Amino acid sequence: MRNPLRRAIPLVVVALAVSFAACSSGSDSGGDGRTVTIGVLAREEPDLTFVAEHLARQGYTMKVQVFDDNIAMNRATEDGSIDANFFQNANYLKSYQESNGSSLVTYGPWLQTTAVQFVSSKHASADALPNGARIGIANDSANRARELQLLAANGLIELKKGVEAPTILDVTANPKNLRWVEVNPRSKAAAFPDLDAMTAPSITVHLMKDPSIKALYEETPEVYGTYGGTLWVVKEGYENTAWLDAAVSFMQSADYKTWIANTYKGLKKTP
């Protein structure tokens, strides 16, 4: 039986129906609107493969292309190399738009999410962190803000009041003199051995498959519900939406939610 949590190889294309025609624009093959290519990170590849299997029964061929770079995936969506992507929340997209002048837009509601955790394999509790501990946090503004807010909510640091997207410059109290190591979210697993602790989505931690990792803090449902979760993203003006409507509808169904619950044992949440 295929392990749905296997680590996907970057840039592997998974074709869920018999269709290997080149799509230079990333959109439908032959102009019929029924063959599309979508971008995901490895952590979402099993989920969208499952969605593609369902869409195949409705006559759509959805090819799932795995990226290891968020920015490259958004650029591919914008230039038409792929039809859509499914990896980011609204805050991340807003940050990307502000930095890149992007014309990307969300499509439909958020469909699933994971809580952010603060984890360590060297220390059994946050109290046990040594003075000057090296702490890994995301290097992009949206994820970094969320992760710092998790640490502040649990009393490890204090942040300047009223700042919507705090950075390390907004840390007003740091009793343990924590040293911040900003890391690309895709590189956190590789950086982890050199850190005392780090923040990361629970699914990222799970995929590291390290039994020595202990979650010191985790976002509550109230918090990750407020942030929302992963949404479909397309280029503004994208019109080939019949397949996308079908995908969104299926991902809101009891069948999909049950599959997520059974596959991830609570690591991924649905609305």
Side-chain angles (χ1 to χ4, degrees):
M1 182 176 179
R2 176 173 62 83
N3 180 0
L5 297 180
R6 72 187 188 282
R7 183 176 180 177
I9 300 173
L11 302 181
V12 169
V13 175
V14 182
L16 273 305
V18 182
S19 177
F20 298 94
C23 299
S24 60
S25 67
S27 59
D28 49 287
S29 176
D32 63 3
R34 303 190 75 83
T35 298
V36 294
T37 302
I38 61 130
V40 298
L41 297 173
R43 70 189 185 201
E44 273 85 42
E45 186 271 342
D47 313 351
L48 274 296
T49 295
F50 182 61
V51 174
E53 291 168 354
H54 175 81
L55 291 190
R57 294 194 289 272
Q58 298 187 41
Y60 296 105
T61 298
M62 188 169 81
K63 300 177 181 180
V64 182
Q65 183 170 334
V66 181
F67 287 75
D68 61 0
D69 185 305
N70 298 358
I71 293 174
M73 193 179 345
N74 271 340
R75 287 175 176 167
T77 306
E78 196 147 22
D79 70 21
S81 300
I82 60 177
D83 289 85
N85 66 58
F86 186 81
F87 79 93
Q88 60 200 310
N89 63 30
N91 284 346
Y92 182 88
L93 179 60
K94 178 182 177 183
S95 175
Y96 177 84
Q97 290 168 327
E98 291 172 350
S99 299
N100 296 273
S102 167
S103 64
L104 296 177
V105 294
T106 62
Y107 192 93
W110 72 267
L111 297 162
Q112 59 196 57
T113 192
T114 59
V116 170
Q117 295 181 330
F118 181 55
V119 300
S120 178
S121 61
K122 298 177 181 177
H123 309 288
S125 69
D127 289 340
L129 290 170
N131 188 65
R134 288 166 52 84
I135 306 299
I137 58 173
N139 67 351
D140 67 272
S141 59
N143 285 312
R144 179 176 55 225
R146 183 175 178 177
E147 293 168 8
L148 287 173
Q149 287 165 342
L150 171 64
L151 302 184
N154 287 277
L156 192 59
I157 59 173
E158 292 181 12
L159 294 170
K160 187 182 298 182
K161 303 295 184 183
V163 178
E164 182 178 346
T167 72
I168 57 176
L169 298 177
D170 298 305
V171 176
T172 58
N174 183 3
K176 287 183 173 287
N177 299 307
L178 303 175
R179 292 181 293 162
W180 308 108
V181 181
E182 296 192 352
V183 182
N184 185 305
R186 308 282 73 77
S187 303
K188 281 190 173 179
F192 186 61
D194 297 323
L195 302 170
D196 287 283
M198 73 175 184
T199 47
S202 57
I203 189 62
T204 298
V205 175
H206 174 79
L207 291 173
M208 290 168 64
K209 300 189 182 300
D210 181 348
S212 70
I213 296 176
K214 179 179 177 60
L216 310 183
Y217 303 141
E218 180 173 296
E219 287 178 332
T220 64
E222 291 77 15
V223 171
Y224 62 70
T226 298
Y227 278 104
T230 309
L231 307 109
W232 284 100
V233 170
V234 296
K235 185 177 180 179
E236 189 173 17
Y238 183 78
E239 296 180 349
N240 181 21
T241 58
W243 71 271
L244 199 44
D245 290 335
V248 169
S249 178
F250 177 64
M251 295 174 78
Q252 292 177 307
S253 71
D255 286 348
Y256 183 76
K257 292 182 179 184
T258 298
W259 183 88
I260 287 287
N262 291 340
T263 300
Y264 294 103
K265 311 302 181 187
L267 289 171
K268 290 188 178 183
K269 324 288 185 179
T270 54

